[in-house]
């Protein structure tokens, strides 16, 4: 017989070790899939790494893919810390992009620094307000935030689709449903070859780390996540905490929308977010909601995506294979968390019975 | 009037994949497991059902395979959340990512293929003698393909199972208060596994309806977000299979209303109408949480893992 026992404290090294073993197992399982395709797993994996970091250009591409993941995942981690299941990153990105694009398209004559700051501000506010709706509903009536944030993703996407195919369609695109490209002064500048979104990402990693670890609000968010009753007992204003955290959470994603619209797509489009909001949830979870770890995991995930599209051309493996691999790694890591929290203890059945008998006897004597 | 009846009849057909997925999600949630992988399981069922349908030309084998595929997806989720107590939200989301990848991967060579004639013939609309002659209702509900009728049957059977059998009673106990159920020597783990897998099988069926009957051809991402609507429909239906019937057909109507409105020449964008199901869901959800009535709330232990030691 085995008995489940909760581990008291696990050393960081042991927890990391367990997760690394999980990732290794995921790669082994995926290797089976690749072998079914009559390919050599080793050479596929090597060319994935090569595709992600093999040249300066590919490394830049990987970084460009990592930036939105880092920032969204940071935002999501703030909400998750509070046990608020914000799975609306996708929609918050869309609305952030939408608000920033509104500014970019209508005030393009403004000087570049002013226009860009205005776009950043409206992007953050747009994403923040979009996240505020489910936060308000949750704070006021306890409405299930998982479903509401999820539904709001679709509303945001349909709204942008409506604009792209309708009122915002570029009349110069000869009937092709696309929104006009931004003018040059609405496009984020580059620094060291990559658009400056990477500086924002690094700054926000530091900001989130300090905010969650060393600020009063950050502490209140963590307490509320642990237990609502404790938070109430400690005199924390629950509604206010939920709302602050969600404005931050959505604001981060809103900024991502602005960055993607301005620096990557140079316009607003339905494909702009491309699942970043969902991938970021996974990144946040894999990173145990810790800001510095989010940075690393995001780069690894971006490499997985970039390497995935590389093997698509190199081996003719569909891009969906990268999704499969992503899912597989995550399944194993999710499963491995169990072994971080619990261990099996062997108990011999006879001993167990004896013990039980004794307890019963002791109980009788006490009476 | 003719337009209205044909619209309502079309809404029933459009609602059928939603119905299967919603019933699947209800079964799983009754066991205390919120599975956000509905979309993924539907896609797995859709692609495997279609593939087996192409290979065997046999509708029963195709549907059976779709159920197995959906249940296989649910098995991964079950292992993670029941045995390994992983977070249900994240596990479900991952299952959706995995299922989406799985279906485009497996379906890559199927794109553009049409469902075999034998299967299409099997799912031709059949008017039920007697019932289909009822004015109005007969035309709306009883002149469809077998799958639609299967939907009625499954919903009713599930309702009877949940509310009229001891298994159903035990299941609801597991979802409401696993500690008490455990004390009453109900095998919690077994109940959870059986019903999460059953839920996955139903989602797989819903997916197969899309690829084999509704479309009927293979296209990438054939579900187009219907799995998520199903997740929301569970709340709309207040975890009740009978209300799920009503809700699914209502949302099926919202799904197709865009085409109809364009037909009448009214100037409303299709994309704005596409928002309706999601908007309605949020409004309903808010309404339900405002009322805070007991029967419209989910199972109490929904989303929380069960440890015997912490009872």
């Amino acid at each position: 017989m085995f008995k489940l026992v909760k581990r008291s404290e696990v050393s960081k090294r042991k927890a990391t070790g367990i997760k690394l073993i999980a990732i290794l197992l995921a790669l082994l399982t995926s290797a089976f899939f690749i072998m079914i395709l009559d390919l050599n797993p080793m050479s596929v994996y090597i060319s994935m790494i090569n595709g992600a970091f093999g040249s300066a250009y590919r490394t830049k591409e990987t970084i460009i893919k990592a930036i939105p993941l880092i920032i969204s995942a940071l935002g999501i981690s703030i909400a998750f810390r509070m046990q608020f299941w914000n799975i609306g990153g996708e929609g918050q990105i869309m609305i952030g992009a939408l608000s920033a694009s509104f500014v970019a398209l209508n005030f393009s004559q403004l000087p570049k620094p002013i226009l860009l700051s205005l776009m950043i501000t409206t992007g953050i506010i747009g994403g923040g307000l979009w996240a505020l709706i489910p936060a308000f509903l949750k704070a006021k009536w306890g409405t299930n935030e998982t479903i509401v944030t999820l539904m709001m993703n679709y509303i945001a996407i349909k709204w942008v689709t409506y604009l792209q195919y309708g009122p915002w369609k570029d009349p110069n695109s000869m009937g092709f449903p696309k929104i006009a490209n931004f003018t040059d002064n609405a496009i984020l500048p580059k620094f060291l070859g990559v658009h400056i979104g990477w500086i924002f990402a690094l700054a926000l990693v530091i900001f989130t780390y300090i905010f969650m670890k060393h600020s009063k609000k950050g502490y209140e968010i963590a307490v509320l996540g642990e237990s609502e009753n404790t938070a109430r007992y400690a005199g924390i204003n629950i509604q206010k905490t939920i709302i602050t955290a969600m404005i931050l959470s959505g604001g981060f994603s809103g900024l991502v929308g602005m960055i993607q619209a301005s620096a990557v797509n140079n316009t607003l489009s339905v494909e702009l977010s491309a699942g970043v909001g969902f991938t970021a949830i996974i990144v946040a979870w894999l990173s145990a909601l810790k800001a510095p770890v989010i940075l690393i995991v995001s780069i690894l995930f971006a490499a997985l995506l970039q390497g995935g599209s590389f093997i698509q051309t190199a081996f003719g493996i569909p891009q969906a294979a990268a999704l499969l691999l992503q899912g597989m790694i995550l399944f194993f890591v999710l499963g491995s968390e169990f072994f971080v929290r619990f261990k099996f203890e062997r108990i011999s059945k006879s001993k167990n019975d004896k013990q039980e008998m004794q307890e019963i006897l002791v109980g009788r004597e006490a009476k | 009037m003719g337009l209205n009846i044909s619209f309502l009849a079309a809404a029933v057909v459009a609602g059928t994949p939603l119905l299967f997925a919603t019933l699947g999600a209800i079964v799983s949630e009754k066991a205390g497991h919120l599975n956000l992988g509905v979309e993924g399981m539907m896609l797995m069922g859709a692609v495997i059902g279609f593939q087996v349908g192409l290979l065997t030309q046999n509708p029963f084998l195709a549907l059976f395979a779709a159920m197995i595929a959906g249940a296989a997806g649910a098995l991964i989720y079950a292992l993670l959340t029941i045995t390994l107590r992983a977070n249900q939200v994240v596990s479900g989301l991952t299952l959706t990512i995995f299922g989406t990848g799985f279906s485009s991967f497996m379906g890559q060579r199927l794109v553009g293929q049409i469902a075999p004639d034998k299967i299409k013939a099997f799912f031709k609309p059949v008017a039920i003698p007697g019932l289909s002659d009822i004015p109005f209702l007969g035309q709306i509900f009883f002149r469809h393909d077998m799958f639609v009728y299967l939907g009625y049957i499954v919903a009713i059977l599930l309702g009877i199972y949940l509310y009229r059998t001891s298994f159903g009673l035990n299941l609801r106990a597991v979802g409401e208060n696993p500690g008490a159920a455990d004390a009453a020597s109900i095998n919690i783990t077994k109940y959870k596994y059986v019903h999460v897998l059953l839920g996955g099988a139903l989602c797989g069926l819903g997916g197969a309806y899309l690829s084999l009957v509704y479309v009927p051809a293979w296209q990438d991402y054939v579900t187009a977000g219907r799995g998520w609507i199903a997740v929301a429909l569970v709340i709309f239906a207040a975890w009740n299979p009978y209300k799920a019937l009503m809700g699914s057909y209502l949302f099926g109507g919202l799904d197709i209303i865009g085409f109809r409105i364009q037909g009448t020449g009214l100037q409303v964008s299709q994309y704005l109408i596409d928002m309706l199901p999601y908007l309605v869901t949020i409004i309903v959800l808010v309404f339900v949480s405002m009322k805070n009535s007991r029967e419209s709330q989910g199972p109490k232990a929904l989303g929380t893992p069960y440890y015997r030691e912490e009872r």
Side-chain angles (χ1 to χ4, degrees):
Chain A
M1 277 294 281
F2 288 95
K3 195 174 157 219
L4 264 186
V5 181
K6 217 166 197 170
R7 288 185 200 263
S8 41
E9 273 299 316
V10 192
S11 70
K12 252 186 195 160
R13 188 186 287 175
K14 192 159 192 179
T16 317
I18 290 176
K19 284 195 179 173
L20 286 180
I21 292 172
I23 292 173
L24 214 65
L25 285 174
L27 291 176
L28 277 176
T29 317
S30 311
F32 273 107
F33 265 89
I34 298 170
M35 283 192 318
I36 291 171
L37 294 172
D38 258 347
L39 291 167
N40 180 352
M42 255 347 253
S43 59
V44 169
Y45 286 153
I46 287 170
S47 71
M48 270 182 96
I49 296 170
N50 188 21
F53 300 110
S55 70
Y57 171 77
R58 288 176 200 156
T59 312
K60 272 182 203 166
E61 286 296 305
T62 305
I63 293 173
I64 289 173
K65 283 204 169 75
I67 293 166
L69 280 180
I70 297 168
I71 303 178
S72 297
L74 287 172
I76 284 163
S77 72
I78 295 174
F80 274 28
R81 263 296 168 83
M82 203 173 55
Q83 306 262 348
F84 187 105
W85 303 111
N86 174 19
I87 52 181
E90 199 78 2
Q92 289 144 21
I93 291 173
M94 275 299 188
I95 298 299
L98 173 67
S99 332
S101 302
F102 177 79
V103 175
L105 295 170
N106 289 294
F107 303 98
S108 55
Q109 70 286 359
L110 287 173
K112 189 162 184 160
I114 297 177
L115 182 63
L116 283 176
S117 340
L118 208 58
M119 284 168 67
I120 290 173
T121 318
T122 48
I124 293 174
I125 292 175
L129 287 180
W130 199 247
L132 193 59
I133 299 171
F136 172 78
L137 298 177
K138 168 95 172 183
K140 184 106 181 153
W141 295 295
T143 312
N144 182 322
E145 77 279 10
T146 317
I147 311 290
V148 175
T149 48
L150 189 69
M151 294 296 115
M152 290 183 65
N153 285 340
Y154 284 94
I155 294 177
I157 291 166
K158 297 289 177 196
W159 194 8
V160 172
T161 319
Y162 163 68
L163 293 175
Q164 184 178 337
Y165 284 75
W168 285 20
K169 191 162 95 176
D170 184 6
N172 302 323
S173 67
M174 290 181 292
F176 190 73
K178 82 176 285 301
I179 295 168
N181 277 354
F182 293 177
T183 52
D184 272 345
N185 46 345
I187 293 174
L188 282 174
K190 285 184 177 180
F191 185 68
L192 300 179
V194 179
H195 68 79
I196 60 162
W198 70 270
I199 298 176
F200 296 165
L202 286 183
L204 287 174
V205 169
I206 297 166
F207 167 81
T208 312
Y209 181 77
I210 294 174
F211 175 76
M212 289 309 293
K213 264 229 145 117
H214 300 290
S215 80
K216 180 168 173 262
K217 252 285 111 36
Y219 181 69
E220 287 181 349
I221 288 170
V223 171
L224 180 56
E226 288 293 324
S227 151
E228 203 180 311
N229 286 333
T230 312
R232 194 170 288 129
Y233 184 72
I236 293 171
N237 185 336
I238 291 174
Q239 299 202 353
K240 225 168 120 188
T241 307
I242 292 182
I243 284 169
T244 316
M246 279 309 283
I247 287 186
L248 267 181
S249 184
F252 277 41
S253 286
L255 177 64
V256 169
M258 181 273 162
I259 292 172
Q260 296 303 92
S262 163
V264 179
N265 292 41
N266 301 342
T267 185
L268 174 68
S269 86
V270 206
E271 290 89 21
L272 176 129
S273 161
V276 165
F278 288 120
T279 314
I281 295 168
I282 291 167
V283 169
W285 193 260
L286 280 181
S287 317
L289 312 181
K290 293 196 171 73
V293 190
I294 284 176
L295 179 66
I296 299 163
V297 174
S298 296
I299 293 171
L300 291 178
F301 253 74
L304 190 63
L305 294 176
Q306 180 64 20
S309 59
F310 183 75
I311 56 165
Q312 184 183 12
T313 40
F315 294 91
I317 300 176
Q319 175 108 51
L323 277 185
L324 270 181
L325 187 61
Q326 206 177 318
M328 208 91 86
I329 291 177
L330 206 67
F331 281 144
F332 278 94
V333 174
L334 276 171
S336 76
E337 275 171 17
F338 175 79
F339 299 97
V340 176
R341 285 181 294 146
F342 297 91
K343 59 183 174 186
F344 285 107
E345 246 176 30
R346 228 195 139 94
I347 38 170
S348 65
K349 187 149 183 150
S350 58
K351 189 181 156 201
N352 196 28
D353 286 348
K354 240 185 236 166
Q355 230 170 359
E356 214 168 292
M357 207 56 178
Q358 246 163 8
E359 273 162 27
I360 292 170
L361 288 175
V362 170
R364 248 187 220 157
E365 272 166 33
K367 266 182 196 169
Chain B
M1 206 58 180
L3 179 78
N4 286 342
I5 287 181
S6 80
F7 171 68
L8 292 175
V12 169
V13 175
T16 296
L18 290 176
L19 175 65
F20 279 97
T22 307
L23 293 175
I26 288 177
V27 176
S28 175
E29 290 190 22
K30 281 284 182 193
H33 282 255
L34 172 70
N35 189 348
L36 293 180
V38 174
E39 180 89 0
M41 296 185 291
M42 281 180 88
L43 281 166
M44 289 170 81
V47 73
I48 294 295
F50 192 81
Q51 175 83 67
V52 170
L54 273 187
L55 288 176
T56 65
Q57 311 259 325
N58 183 326
F60 294 105
L61 281 178
L63 295 191
F64 184 67
M67 287 176 78
I68 297 290
L75 179 64
I76 303 174
Y77 170 88
L79 278 170
L80 287 173
T81 59
I82 302 173
T83 303
L84 298 178
R85 274 89 166 171
N87 179 287
Q88 294 186 8
V89 172
V90 182
S91 302
L93 281 176
T94 309
L95 179 55
T96 290
I97 291 177
F98 177 81
T100 311
F102 180 86
S103 84
S104 2
F105 187 76
M106 301 294 286
Q108 201 197 9
R109 287 184 213 101
L110 303 175
V111 173
Q113 297 255 36
I114 296 165
D117 289 332
K118 261 192 185 167
I119 291 185
K120 274 200 271 184
F122 183 80
F123 289 117
K124 254 218 216 81
V126 182
I128 296 184
L131 285 175
S132 61
D133 297 329
I134 305 172
F136 210 65
L137 288 182
Q139 280 164 295
I140 296 169
F141 289 106
F142 299 108
R143 291 183 184 180
H144 293 301
D145 58 77
M146 309 285 264
F147 224 116
V148 174
Y149 302 139
L150 185 66
Y152 305 155
I153 294 168
V154 171
I156 292 166
L157 283 181
L158 197 61
I160 294 171
Y161 176 75
L162 284 178
Y163 302 119
R164 297 263 180 277
T165 69
S166 61
F167 292 117
L169 184 68
N170 290 349
L171 174 64
R172 284 183 291 145
V174 169
E176 291 290 340
N177 189 342
D182 199 1
S185 67
I186 293 171
N187 188 337
I188 305 279
T189 311
K190 200 156 115 194
Y191 264 89
K192 282 179 179 255
Y193 263 97
V194 167
H195 292 95
V196 169
L197 292 192
L198 178 65
L202 287 172
C203 292
L205 267 184
Y209 183 72
L210 286 169
S211 60
L212 285 171
V213 188
Y214 192 73
V215 175
W218 182 252
Q219 58 193 48
D220 204 24
Y221 200 53
V222 68
T223 51
R226 286 186 180 86
W228 295 114
I229 298 215
V231 171
L233 259 171
V234 174
I235 299 168
F236 186 88
W239 290 266
N240 179 322
Y242 304 125
K243 289 185 187 163
L245 271 173
M246 217 170 58
S248 299
Y249 300 145
L250 180 69
F251 277 64
L254 290 177
D255 203 13
I256 55 169
I257 203 169
F259 301 108
R260 299 281 163 159
I261 285 185
Q262 276 175 344
T264 62
L266 250 163
Q267 288 293 322
V268 185
S269 167
Q270 164 82 46
Y271 306 105
L272 289 181
I273 294 162
D274 283 349
M275 273 184 204
L276 277 177
Y278 309 106
L279 207 60
V280 171
T281 305
I282 293 179
I283 294 168
V284 169
L285 204 56
V286 171
F287 195 66
V288 167
S289 48
M290 276 168 85
K291 258 188 15 189
N292 213 5
S293 62
R294 247 194 75 217
E295 70 265 36
S296 54
Q297 297 287 311
K300 284 245 163 42
L302 186 61
T304 42
Y306 175 64
Y307 308 99
R308 184 174 244 177
E309 273 70 23
E310 286 181 0
R311 192 166 60 199

